[in-house]
Amino acid sequence: MTPIGYLMIEHRLIERMIALLAKHLEHVRSGQHADPELIASAVDFFRSYADRCHHGKEEDLLFRDLESKPLEAPLKAVLHELIQEHVLGRQMVGKLAEAGERYHEGDPEVLGVIEQQIAALVDFYPRHIEKEDRHFFVPVMDCFTKKELADLLDRFHEFDRQLIHERYRQVVSTWEHGK
């Protein structure tokens, strides 16, 4: 397994969630109600898995390691685009979370916002994933030695091992402080 193989496997799960949202988008566009539970689950998935787990490995490990490498200008430009796209993804998920909560509380006026944010995510993630998989990951691997790649993969594993503890420390802390 290589570091990019690890990240690409995670991309496949993100694509599965996007497919679920695309199907739900058709449901909503046909005049049916949005499913607040699916929206809440999708928001949790994108925040916990896609952003904290997946983008965490990219930003905190891979991208940080690449800062010390002599990247060619086109790859450096793609790296900066990817970082900005992660920010954009967080913003879209935040808007969906807010709209989903309002909808769950009985505000039907936000259905259009829900539809808009789901459509934005369904459009955004496949293009973002393709950019990483096809235009970034493979060329940047040439910047690393075999030992550096093995070390990066070990740090990916360690990152994931620590993540669940971090998440649930946060859950307990939130409840301790009165939510």
Side-chain angles (χ1 to χ4, degrees):
M1 173 77 70
T2 66
I4 63 170
Y6 201 94
L7 295 172
M8 290 171 138
I9 288 169
E10 292 176 353
H11 279 166
R12 303 299 75 86
L13 186 58
I14 294 167
E15 288 169 338
R16 290 171 55 198
M17 176 56 82
I18 288 297
L20 289 170
L21 286 179
K23 184 176 179 181
H24 190 60
L25 180 60
E26 290 176 19
H27 178 81
V28 171
R29 285 181 170 163
S30 73
Q32 311 227 1
H33 295 287
D35 182 342
E37 288 182 34
L38 175 61
I39 293 168
S41 290
V43 166
D44 179 59
F45 175 87
F46 283 107
R47 285 181 169 164
S48 298
Y49 186 79
D51 193 42
R52 184 66 191 113
C53 178
H54 178 73
H55 292 159
K57 282 192 285 294
E58 289 176 343
E59 293 175 1
D60 298 345
L61 301 173
L62 175 61
F63 295 176
R64 187 168 292 151
D65 284 3
L66 286 170
E67 289 175 9
S68 67
K69 301 291 182 181
L71 288 180
E72 295 180 10
L75 280 177
K76 193 172 278 198
V78 173
L79 173 62
H80 293 294
E81 288 173 19
L82 294 173
I83 292 168
Q84 290 306 311
E85 289 175 9
H86 290 177
V87 171
L88 178 62
R90 289 179 191 110
Q91 291 169 347
M92 287 186 278
V93 170
K95 289 176 184 175
L96 179 61
E98 181 183 326
E101 288 172 15
R102 287 180 49 202
Y103 187 78
H104 183 69
E105 292 169 358
D107 183 357
E109 300 297 316
V110 297
L111 190 57
V113 175
I114 289 170
E115 181 180 338
Q116 180 184 31
Q117 293 310 308
I118 291 174
L121 287 165
V122 166
D123 177 64
F124 166 76
Y125 264 101
R127 288 184 295 110
H128 175 75
I129 288 170
E130 180 181 356
K131 184 184 289 186
E132 287 182 339
D133 283 359
R134 298 187 189 271
H135 306 289
F136 187 72
F137 286 163
V138 173
V140 299
M141 289 299 102
D142 291 338
C143 296
F144 297 100
T145 66
K146 286 185 180 191
K147 183 179 179 335
E148 288 172 327
L149 289 172
D151 178 57
L152 182 58
L153 186 59
D154 288 344
R155 289 184 292 136
F156 278 11
H157 288 241
E158 184 61 25
F159 184 93
D160 283 349
R161 275 194 294 274
Q162 292 176 9
L163 188 62
I164 194 163
H165 297 285
E166 176 185 316
R167 174 154 169 73
Y168 289 103
R169 274 193 301 271
Q170 184 178 20
V171 167
V172 171
S173 179
T174 299
W175 282 102
E176 287 172 340
H177 291 97
K179 193 170 180 182

